[in-house]
């Protein structure tokens, strides 16, 4: 037989595009349309429905950026359509390639009942099936004219990302507002042909199955009368029935489809718009659930559920019913799909506490899975947190975006820093927006790396990022793929059912140890510095507020601010969403975040001040309140007392210019350029700075990545560097032993204060940058005379080691990485720590010197970037950073100094010292939280972990009489299987393995 394959395939495409798809709606009549443009921010539904609209014609422009327009469409069903299926086709000016990224709408009935959402892939509203002739139609559309930020030419700077700069030009043209007859048979024929055509394209040309499909498609096309598609569609479908009924082979890959609409809680739209995106999507998904008996939809992010409950009670009622029916599934058990690299230990724990508690309180449902399809890599401390929250599985897709190395598994056990393992799955479909295309299903089957030992994978199915969710077309395709030769099999299932099957079939899954590093989006550790500073400051203020409020409640009867702390925690957790904290959202989002963090700080400072004053009492004695987990200036951790300062520090001129700082422990030499050329550990006679090098060196690079400006820094940025060595001014500082250095470069200015405190083995570095560069990357470098093939960086509840070398492509790809409060580099017996109060990105490199063959290990802190997309004014303005260089530091010193710089001293006048509420006898054991139990019982909850990476036995002593001690999970529930701790009165002894996390609940007598 002659090969006419391409001829038939081309015929299929044209006939579908030009004849069959248009015949889905064979008859239509226009609707009358009127519109009212809300003058400012979105208005309540009742106000929008009651407004007086004015007529508007199809073809007219509408919608200022970020505006809201209320359309009213009215019409009458023609008498001739009686008994047929009729839908309203409501096209606001959609581009079908941009679901979730442009205008959207939510349709209401006149009584305010929400019907369904409108988006580029979901433009229909069912009027009746069948309808009555002469039926009156009246619908209202709350239409959001969200501007297109990520356009066909992506990453171009735009002022549309903030309502304050976006202007008022109409963004859209009203395209279609019609009533139309819906031909169900033709629509089903479209799905038949799409499924077979897409499957055919994925099969080998030489396979018999491909040719069977080709001939069946050809016969079906022959049966279609192109002048009467509706009248011949059934006959065409009959000719396809046989090839659509051939079952899959027994070895076919098995896909669990989960209805999904990954909705970014903020990204190219502000938080307030996400509230409406969620309402539109959940309206659509509850409607689909009613129509499709097999369909299951999963939605993560308890915050988004809470928004529906608060802002759309009518939708919430439908959601609750669907949850009760087991069809609308809470997923993930986190407050939002957060970044997991940068949130601190307690914040990461609270993501699960607040997320899981919401689902438990509202539905009695507990999640076993963490659901993070789009998060930009995963910190090595996360497995222990997931398990401590009572969960055991993780799903993500994003690692498939890695540029350099392909991850070797799709299903595996992930082991964290403490040895905890969780069963993890990466969907091989490689998208969290699966649309059931044949190419996607075939890719999942081909791509799955665990063939031969496993055969199940998951496909999150539905339009996402900007929401939208699953469509009826996707469900129809999945129905045909349930058991079809040549394809993987597809069945709608909950995440829980998938994980149960996957874990059961793969009991000896391979193990991946350590962080899941995404070889992409590395610049998110630096972009939008003030958002990151707001997060870090809020985390530590929350620690202080809980600590001092709990102490004051137990000691003085101070009213513990349960509701305030709950609300503030949820606000901070929301802003850890994976496009807010990483700095990859539009200007509007970060402008609001700055204001939110200011309000959070003000409120928490008020709680802290009130609690401390209640504890200190009236008086004039100067008391130091020590919020850090280690003794400071003679004051115990978690206590308050009179500080003790020993020793002194001196400032002297340096020969050849500059200054020398000396406190008997360190001698710091600052040359005439304002650079640190020596940091000498007097105790052991050891130099810190590499020979011939200078530390505290500001360096600037060009920074224009190939794409994803706010997200990415590409390795070639290192090819060009400028050392900022010229100083405008080098003078003694105003406070004690300190030096002030001022530099100018480009349009920017940097002021640094280097200081040495009495009795402390650390060089303080306070940096203020008035930043007005674009597409530049500012680093602060410390070349150290340390020979190390690995270094430690802090992560949640411990630290993680990374190599300093680039032996393999895996190591070379980690040219920008995350740390929390410290980076530590060590030779046996002597090390150096670099601690910070608000930066996360860094790099560590090593070279061998020609002069003495010694090794220079250079640590560089990432301070600022200046990408122009999606926020063209990213980070312009004044920024302040605090760092400290700690020569001679062991890992314990790094931990202690990291906490110290993030919890500055608070001095309060009063009459009485404050004993700690709890004390721990091991310096290696860090208490991360002291609080009252969330249930209002008055029990004291203490969370702590081993921080040095070794085994220990810690004795925790309560500063109050305790009646009982319980080991709990993160949600403060008794931990199943946990051994009862050894108790002697108010003293509790707990053995700890390296980095082990423990939560104790102390019942007060």
């Amino acid at each position: 037989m002659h090969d006419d394959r391409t001829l038939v395939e081309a015929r299929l495409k044209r006939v579908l595009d030009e004849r069959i798809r248009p015949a889905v709606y064979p008859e239509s009549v226009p609707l009358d349309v009127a519109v009212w443009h809300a003058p400012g921010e979105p208005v309540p539904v009742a106000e929008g429905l009651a407004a007086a609209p004015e007529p508007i014609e199809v073809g007219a422009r509408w919608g200022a950026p970020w505006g809201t327009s209320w359309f009213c469409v009215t019409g009458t069903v023609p008498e001739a359509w009686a008994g047929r299926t009729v839908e309203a086709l409501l096209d606001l000016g959609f581009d079908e390639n941009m679901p979730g990224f442009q205008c959207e709408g939510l349709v209401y009935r006149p009584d305010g009942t929400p019907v369904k959402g409108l988006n580029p892939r979901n433009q229909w509203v069912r009027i009746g099936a069948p309808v009555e002739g002469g039926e009156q139609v009246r619908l209202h559309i709350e239409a959001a004219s969200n501007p297109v930020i990520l356009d066909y030419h992506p990453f171009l700077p735009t002022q549309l990302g903030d309502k304050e700069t976006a202007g008022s030009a109409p963004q859209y043209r009203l395209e279609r507002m019609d009533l139309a007859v819906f031909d169900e048979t033709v629509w089903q024929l479209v799905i038949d042909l799409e499924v077979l055509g897409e499957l055919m394209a994925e099969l080998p040309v030489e396979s018999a199955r491909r040719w069977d499909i080709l001939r069946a498609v050809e016969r079906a096309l022959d049966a279609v009368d192109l002048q009467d598609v509706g009248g011949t569609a059934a006959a065409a479908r009959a000719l396809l029935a046989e090839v659509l009924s051939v079952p899959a082979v027994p070895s076919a890959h098995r896909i669990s489809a989960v209805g999904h609409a990954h909705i970014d809680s903020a990204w190219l739209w502000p938080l307030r718009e996400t509230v409406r995106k969620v309402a539109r999507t959940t309206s659509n998904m509850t409607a689909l659930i009613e129509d499709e008996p097999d369909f299951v939809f999963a939605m993560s992010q308890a915050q988004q559920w809470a928004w529906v409950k608060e802002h759309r009670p009518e939708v919430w009622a439908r959601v609750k019913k669907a949850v009760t029916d087991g069809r609308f599934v809470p997923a993930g058990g986190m407050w939002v799909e957060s970044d997991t690299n940068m949130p601190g230990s307690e914040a990461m724990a609270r993501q699960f506490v607040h997320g899981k508690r919401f689902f438990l309180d509202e539905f009695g449902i507990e999640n076993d899975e963490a659901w993070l399809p789009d998060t930009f890599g995963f910190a090595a401390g996360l497995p222990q947190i997931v398990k401590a929250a009572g969960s055991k599985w993780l799903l993500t897709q994003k690692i498939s975006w890695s540029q350099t190395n392909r991850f070797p598994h799709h299903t595996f056990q992930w082991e964290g820093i403490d040895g905890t393992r969780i069963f993890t799955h990466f969907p091989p479909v490689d998208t969290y927006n699966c649309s059931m295309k044949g190419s996607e299903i075939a890719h999942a089957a081909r791509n799955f790396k665990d063939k031969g030992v496993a055969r199940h994978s998951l496909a999150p199915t539905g339009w996402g990022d900007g929401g939208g969710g699953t469509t009826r077309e996707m469900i129809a395709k999945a129905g045909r793929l349930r058991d079809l030769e040549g394809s993987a099999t597809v069945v709608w299932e909950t995440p829980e059912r998938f994980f149960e099957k996957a874990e059961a079939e793969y009991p000896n899954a391979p193990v991946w140890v350590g962080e899941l590093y995404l070889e992409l989006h590395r610049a998110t550790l630096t972009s939008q510095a003030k958002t990151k500073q707001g997060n870090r400051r809020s985390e530590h203020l929350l620690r202080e507020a809980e600590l001092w409020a709990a102490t004051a409640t137990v000691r003085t009867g101070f009213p513990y601010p349960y509701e305030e702390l709950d609300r503030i925690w949820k606000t901070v957790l929301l802003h850890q969403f994976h496009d807010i904290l990483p700095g990859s959202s539009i200007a509007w989002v970060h402008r609001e975040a700055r204001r939110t963090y200011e309000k959070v700080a003000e409120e928490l400072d008020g709680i802290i001040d009130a609690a401390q004053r209640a504890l200190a009492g009236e008086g004039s004695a100067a008391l130091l309140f020590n919020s850090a987990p280690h003794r400071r200036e003679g004051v115990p951790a978690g206590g308050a007392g009179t500080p003790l300062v020993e020793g002194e520090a001196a400032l002297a001129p340096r020969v050849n210019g500059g200054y020398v700082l000396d406190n008997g422990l360190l001698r710091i030499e600052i040359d005439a350029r304002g650079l640190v050329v020596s940091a000498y550990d007097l105790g052991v006679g050891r130099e810190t700075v590499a020979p011939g090098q200078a530390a505290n060196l500001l360096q600037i690079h060009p920074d224009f990545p190939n794409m994803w400006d706010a997200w990415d820094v590409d390795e070639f940025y290192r090819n060009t560097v400028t050392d900022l060595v010229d100083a405008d001014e080098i003078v003694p500082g105003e406070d004690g032993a300190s030096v002030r250095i001022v530099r100018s470069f480009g349009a920017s200015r940097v002021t640094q204060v280097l200081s040495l405190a009495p009795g402390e083995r650390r060089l303080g570095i306070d940096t203020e940058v008035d930043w007005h560069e674009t597409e530049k990357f500012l680093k602060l470098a410390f070349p150290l005379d340390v020979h190390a093939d690995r270094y430690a960086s802090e992560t949640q509840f411990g630290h993680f080691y990374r190599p300093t070398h680039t032996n393999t492509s895996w190591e070379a790809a980690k040219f920008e990485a995350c740390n929390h409060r410290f980076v530590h580099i060590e030779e046996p017996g002597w090390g150096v720590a670099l601690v910070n109060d608000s930066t996360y990105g860094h790099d560590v490199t090593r070279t061998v010197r020609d002069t003495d063959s010694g090794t220079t290990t250079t640590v560089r802190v990432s301070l600022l970037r200046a990408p122009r997309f999606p926020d063209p004014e990213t980070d312009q303005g004044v920024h302040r950073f605090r760092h400290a260089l700690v020569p001679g530091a062991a890992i314990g010193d790094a931990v202690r100094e990291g906490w110290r710089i993030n919890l500055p001293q608070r001095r309060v006048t009063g009459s009485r010292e404050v004993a700690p509420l709890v004390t721990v006898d091991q310096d290696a054991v860090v208490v991360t939280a002291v609080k009252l139990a969330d249930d209002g019982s008055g029990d004291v909850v203490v969370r702590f972990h081993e921080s040095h990476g070794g085994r220990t036995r810690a004795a925790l002593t309560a500063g109050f009489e305790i009646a009982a001690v319980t080991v709990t999970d993160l949600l403060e529930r008794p931990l199943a299987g946990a051994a009862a701790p050894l108790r002697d009165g108010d003293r509790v002894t707990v053995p700890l393995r390296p980095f082990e996390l423990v939560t104790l609940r102390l019942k007060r007598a």
Side-chain angles (χ1 to χ4, degrees), residues 255-260 371 425 427 429 431 434 436 441 444 457-462 492:
I255 293 177
S256 297
V258 178
H260 188 238
W371 184 275
H425 180 67
V429 72
T431 177
C434 176
M436 285 292 137
I441 302 305
S457 72
L458 186 145
T461 302
W492 294 104

Side-chain angles (χ1 to χ4, degrees), residues 334 337-343 348 372-383 394-402 407 414 426 512 514-522 524-525 576 578 582 795-796 802 814 818:
M334 295 175 67
E337 289 183 12
S338 73
D339 181 80
T340 73
N341 285 312
M342 291 176 281
M348 202 72 255
L372 294 164
D374 191 29
T375 295
F376 309 154
F378 299 87
L382 188 60
L394 169 67
L395 178 134
T396 185
Q397 180 270 321
K398 199 69 170 191
I399 299 298
S400 70
W401 286 40
S402 285
F407 198 81
W414 179 29
F426 296 168
W512 180 270
E515 69 182 332
L516 294 172
Y517 180 91
L518 177 64
E519 296 169 357
L520 194 72
H521 293 359
R522 303 168 181 89
T524 57
L525 303 173
Q576 291 178 339
H578 66 252
T795 188
Q796 293 100 2
R802 296 186 184 94
K814 295 184 180 183
C818 183

Side-chain angles (χ1 to χ4, degrees), residues 914-942:
V914 179
L917 202 56
V918 294
T919 58
V920 179
D921 69 342
Q922 293 289 332
D923 199 48
V925 176
V926 168
V927 175
T928 60
V930 177
K931 60 189 288 292
L932 294 193
D934 291 341
D935 61 7
S937 63
D939 294 353
V940 175
V941 173
V942 184

